[in-house]
Amino acid sequence: MMTTSAFEILGPIMVGPSSSHTAGALRIALVARSLGPSPLEGVTFTLYNSFARTYRGHGTDRALVAGMLGLAPDDVRVRDSFELAREAGLAFDFVAYADGAGLHPNTVTIAMRGADGTTMSVTGESLGGGRVRISSIDGIAVEITGDYPTIFVAHQDRPGVLAALTSGLSAGGVNIATMRTFRERRGGRAYTVFEVDGGLDQRLLEYLRRAPNITLANLVDVPGASPVAPDARLELGFDSGAQLLSLAGEKGMGIGELMRRRELELFPTADADAAMARVLATMREEVTAPIDDPQPSLGGLLGGQARALRDGAPKLAGALMGDTLTRASAYAMATLERSATMGVIVAAPTAGSAGVVPGAVLAVAQALGATDDQVAHALWNACAVGAIVARNASVAGAEGGCQAEVGTAAAMAASAVAELMGADPATCLSAASTAIANLLGLVCDPVRGLVEYPCQDRNVIGVADAISAAQLALSGVLDPLPFDEVVAAMKSVGDSLPAALRETALGGLAAAPSACSACRRGTCAQ
């Protein structure tokens, strides 16, 4: 059953500009750092496919170095990571391989060198929305997702080693869910990955480290992974739109309240309402600060567009978009401007689509005079819709194109706005279906590999789509297809898109003759 936290859908709260290429890359580096030699002297990052083609424009390079320094995804110092690394005496370099056949589009190998001469390499994949997976260690294939508490043990391939490890865990009262051993050759290096049901502590790790033929034993913390095992049974759990509607009907709840209570069921000791209040506060800051004080983006394509839209509203809004849609569009544009300066935003569900949900929800809430509690319930609703799409399709541009990012965000926003307007769950999901259908096939083609253009404009289209879809559903113009079938269609279309149209900056607008020199303001860095 899906155990994803709501705050991995509206989140992580992160430094922009890309959830998969910035926050996800940083999280891979954090995992590598926890497994690698210490103290660390140097590191080489080898980037593949989409990572290789767009890593400078997406801030992937700065994020990877930041992760090796132990910085969090929302630490504003991420943008200064190169300088911080040099001050710390950490050497780093980057190697790009644009054609990594058979590898995930967002793949990086992190080769670490310790001060004592020891080395280790870790390969990770960024799956979208900040989620990551470790796929190899020192060239030996593994699969570490963090779905269960995970222990990584490096050892020699000797008789009795595995027996000693399993006996040690048993003596510590730890139940092993899965155990996989990988070795380079008979009698050589080997790695064993244990997924367990819990009960781990530092004393048990120290015991394992002291065992004969053991060179390393670490608890692997994969940022963003749910601490609740996927085989958990939840009273309020769901994996699909149909299950969500059935559960909402059974419990007599709206989607927002059901998702909120699901979060409380997943994490009973956490303060979910405080976490959502932080999301809302961050969203309000990201949609207003760039309008009040525009800043040039790192790539030079953005800076001031949101203010220009707002300032033109008195003459234009009445005949064109109207006050609410104009405000929503300006908010969406502002979020992308903040992200493109490596400012702090909420991924919703990704950084590239981060303006759609706050733009639509906050503008409609302002028009309605909605309370913070009502807005929070709308955001919980958006989390539920995004979680279903992430579970059954993808929210990553590198996997499904921009339809997976802005399309999903529009569906989340449409459903959230519908609930804010008093819609029942079925009407909310109908709005979400229409929003995805309207953007089906939208490609991801960032000009110059930057999350700037056409990303900002497409967030505006996402807002318009969401608000239009919500009004259609609220007017009784319901989508004829179930939400789950629309999500399945989006996945099928995304799988059919060529790599050139999935965040590689090789096709679409990114391949236009003027794209390499495109600049909206001032002089662009090439």
Side-chain angles (χ1 to χ4, degrees):
M1 179 169 288
M2 176 174 61
T3 58
T4 305
S5 168
F7 302 108
E8 286 297 312
I9 302 300
L10 286 186
I13 295 176
M14 54 165 285
V15 168
S18 171
S19 46
S20 58
H21 287 229
T22 313
L26 190 150
R27 284 174 160 183
I28 293 170
L30 284 174
V31 177
R33 180 177 183 265
S34 72
L35 297 176
S38 182
L40 193 60
E41 182 178 76
V43 57
T44 295
F45 303 99
T46 302
L47 302 112
Y48 300 92
N49 299 330
S50 180
F51 263 7
R53 294 188 176 97
T54 63
Y55 72 94
R56 291 189 182 93
H58 285 175
T60 307
D61 47 3
R62 296 180 183 275
L64 287 167
V65 173
M68 300 310 299
L69 296 173
L71 302 185
D74 63 348
D75 193 319
V76 295
R77 295 176 296 168
V78 169
R79 71 188 75 169
D80 303 318
S81 63
F82 287 1
E83 294 76 15
L84 295 173
R86 293 184 183 109
E87 291 172 6
L90 176 63
F92 59 89
D93 62 311
F94 299 90
V95 179
Y97 284 106
D99 297 308
L103 297 177
H104 187 277
N106 301 328
T107 296
V108 60
T109 295
I110 302 174
M112 297 165 283
R113 307 180 300 280
D116 60 357
T118 59
T119 63
M120 174 176 281
S121 69
V122 174
T123 298
E125 304 163 349
S126 182
L127 307 178
R131 296 175 297 116
V132 302
R133 175 174 57 220
I134 303 304
S135 57
S136 77
I137 298 174
D138 277 348
I140 299 176
V142 298
E143 185 176 345
I144 300 176
T145 61
D147 287 340
Y148 292 85
T150 302
I151 304 171
F152 172 78
V153 182
H155 56 89
Q156 293 298 308
D157 180 37
R158 299 283 190 273
V161 172
L162 293 180
L165 290 171
T166 55
S167 296
L169 291 172
S170 177
V174 175
N175 186 56
I176 299 172
T178 68
M179 181 183 80
R180 287 166 291 173
T181 297
F182 312 86
R183 68 180 187 182
E184 59 178 4
R185 58 180 173 79
R186 183 174 182 179
R189 291 180 306 164
Y191 302 113
T192 298
V193 179
F194 295 97
E195 293 180 323
V196 302
D197 290 333
L200 297 172
D201 59 33
Q202 194 61 35
R203 290 175 300 173
L204 179 57
L205 285 175
E206 291 297 334
Y207 170 81
L208 295 177
R209 289 166 182 160
R210 292 193 299 269
N213 297 305
I214 304 299
T215 56
L216 177 71
N218 278 345
L219 179 63
V220 183
D221 179 19
V222 179
S226 173
V228 180
D231 57 2
R233 305 310 301 171
L234 301 176
E235 181 184 353
L236 299 177
F238 56 88
D239 289 324
S240 67
Q243 292 174 2
L244 175 62
L245 289 180
S246 176
L247 197 58
E250 176 188 333
K251 301 295 182 181
M253 297 181 193
I255 292 176
E257 180 60 18
L258 193 151
M259 188 65 177
R260 174 182 172 273
R261 296 196 186 187
R262 172 189 175 275
E263 189 75 11
L264 295 172
E265 184 181 1
L266 279 170
F267 310 106
T269 62
D271 191 337
D273 292 325
M276 185 58 80
R278 183 183 175 220
V279 166
L280 179 54
T282 304
M283 285 183 167
R284 282 178 169 150
E285 174 70 14
E286 73 191 22
V287 303
T288 55
I291 297 176
D292 296 335
D293 183 23
Q295 299 294 322
S297 63
L298 293 181
L301 295 175
L302 303 186
Q305 287 81 19
R307 173 182 275 189
L309 181 62
R310 183 203 65 180
D311 290 349
K315 294 181 179 180
L316 301 174
L320 297 175
M321 295 195 297
D323 290 338
T324 298
L325 183 53
T326 299
R327 183 179 298 113
S329 299
Y331 284 173
M333 296 181 84
T335 300
L336 266 288
E337 289 182 34
R338 185 176 181 89
S339 179
T341 61
M342 297 195 83
V344 176
I345 61 162
V346 181
T350 67
S353 61
V356 178
V357 171
V361 172
L362 295 182
V364 171
Q366 189 172 338
L368 293 173
T371 65
D372 282 2
D373 185 61
Q374 290 172 320
V375 175
H377 273 76
L379 294 177
W380 284 114
N381 176 303
C383 292
V385 171
I388 293 169
V389 178
R391 170 75 165 187
N392 297 292
S394 174
V395 298
E399 293 183 353
C402 194
Q403 60 161 14
E405 297 202 28
V406 169
T408 300
M412 293 165 62
S415 183
V417 166
E419 175 152 329
L420 197 58
M421 295 286 291
D424 60 24
T427 302
C428 290
L429 283 196
S430 177
S433 295
T434 298
I436 290 177
N438 288 344
L439 296 179
L440 206 63
L442 186 61
V443 303
C444 185
D445 51 351
V447 167
R448 293 173 41 222
L450 302 167
V451 191
E452 299 188 15
Y453 174 81
C455 314
Q456 186 188 49
D457 294 345
R458 286 182 181 161
N459 273 250
V460 174
I461 294 303
V463 161
D465 179 28
I467 291 176
S468 300
Q471 184 160 341
L472 285 172
L474 289 161
S475 301
V477 184
L478 301 179
D479 199 280
L481 298 182
F483 180 65
D484 295 327
E485 291 185 18
V486 175
V487 171
M490 186 178 78
K491 182 179 188 310
S492 176
V493 171
D495 291 343
S496 301
L497 288 176
L501 301 178
R502 288 188 277 118
E503 206 174 6
T504 56
L506 292 176
L509 295 174
S514 300
C516 291
S517 58
C519 187
R520 286 189 176 181
R521 63 184 316 279
T523 301
C524 289
Q526 296 301 317

